[in-house]
Amino acid sequence: GQNIDQPTEMTATEGAIVQINCTYQTSGFNGLFWYQQHAGEAPTFLSYNVLDGLEEKGRFSSFLSRSKGYSYLLLKELQMKDSASYLCAVRDSNYQLIWGAGTKLIIKP
Amino acid sequence: SQTIHQWPATLVQPVGSPLSLECTVEGTSNPNLYWYRQAAGRGLQLLFYSVGIGQISSEVPQNLSASRPQDRQFILSSKKLLLSDSGFYLCAWKGANGANVLTFGAGSRLTVL
C-alpha cells in the first residue's frame, strides 16, 4: 500500500527553528509537495521538490532524498502566525496525490 | 488571476437529506477539478476528479456523486446523507497544461446529525 508518515503534532518557540519530517512509500514518485493549512481554512501551497536537495523560499526550506523516501520542511525565525498544520503529499506514478495526515505545529511565545 | 469559489461554507443537515456543494473557478479554462474530503487525523481523501465537461472519475465508492455541467463548475451531491459523510470538503483546481500545484477553495464544513 501507499503510505505517508509525518508526526501528528509538534511544539516550538517563537523565533526558533523547527523541522517537520515526512517519510513516504509510494508506487513511483513524481514530486513531493508541502502545504500549510490554518485551522478551518483551505491548504495553501508552500513548496515542491522533484529532485534531491534543498529548495529555499524565504523562511521556509524543503529538502528531498528520493533514495531514502524522505523529506523535511524547515521553518526558521518562527512567528505566531506559523501555527498551522503542515501537509506532506507525494505524487505517484499515476500522477495521483497521496496525502499525509498533517503535522499540527504549535508555536509558543 | 485565477480564483476558486466554494459554497456553502458550513451546513448542518439531517441524516437522509440531500446535499449539494458547488465550486466554480474563474480566470482559467479547461481546468482539472477535484473534490476532496478531509477527516480529522487523516490525509485528504480524493473523492472525484474531472478533466472536462461531463467527465467524472470516482476514486471512492460511496453515496456521493459529482457533476460538471460547465467547464468551470463542479458540483458534489448526495441524495441521502449518512452520518459518516460529515467532514470538511474541499474543491481544488489544477491547470490543464500540467501545472503542478493544486489550488483549493475555502472548504465546506458539513455536519450530518
Side-chain angles (χ1 to χ4, degrees), chain B residues 23-101:
Chain B
C23 174
T24 59
V25 182
E26 297 178 357
T28 186
S29 60
N30 197 29
N32 293 336
L33 296 172
Y34 304 80
W35 278 111
Y36 282 90
R37 178 167 56 203
Q38 186 175 36
R42 300 182 64 180
L44 290 173
Q45 181 186 33
L46 179 62
L47 302 175
F48 301 95
Y49 70 93
S50 171
V51 298
I53 296 174
Q55 300 179 57
I56 307 295
S57 296
S58 174
E59 292 295 308
V60 182
Q62 56 206 322
N63 69 320
L64 298 173
S65 62
S67 62
R68 186 168 177 176
Q70 301 181 44
D71 180 45
R72 290 170 288 177
Q73 184 184 27
F74 204 24
I75 298 171
L76 182 69
S77 304
S78 174
K79 292 182 179 178
K80 288 185 177 182
L81 284 168
L82 307 173
L83 285 174
S84 57
D85 291 324
S86 293
F88 192 48
Y89 289 82
L90 291 158
C91 180
W93 77 275
K94 186 173 70 170
N97 61 0
N100 287 321
V101 177

Side-chain angles (χ1 to χ4, degrees), chain A residues 39-102:
Chain A
E41 298 181 9
T44 55
F45 171 74
L46 286 178
S47 67
Y48 170 68
N49 295 70
V50 66
L51 299 176
D52 289 351
L54 188 68
E55 294 282 341
E56 297 186 79
K57 192 183 293 185
R59 293 189 299 115
F60 293 6
S61 303
S62 56
F63 172 82
L64 173 67
S65 170
R66 288 171 295 171
S67 63
K68 296 182 179 178
Y70 168 71
S71 172
Y72 67 73
L73 181 69
L74 191 71
L75 290 74
K76 303 176 183 177
E77 302 170 16
L78 286 169
Q79 302 175 10
M80 297 303 294
K81 67 178 182 179
D82 298 330
S83 291
S85 288
Y86 292 86
L87 312 181
C88 174
V90 173
R91 190 160 57 194
D92 68 11
S93 57
N94 294 320
Y95 284 82
Q96 296 298 320
L97 277 176
I98 312 301
W99 293 83

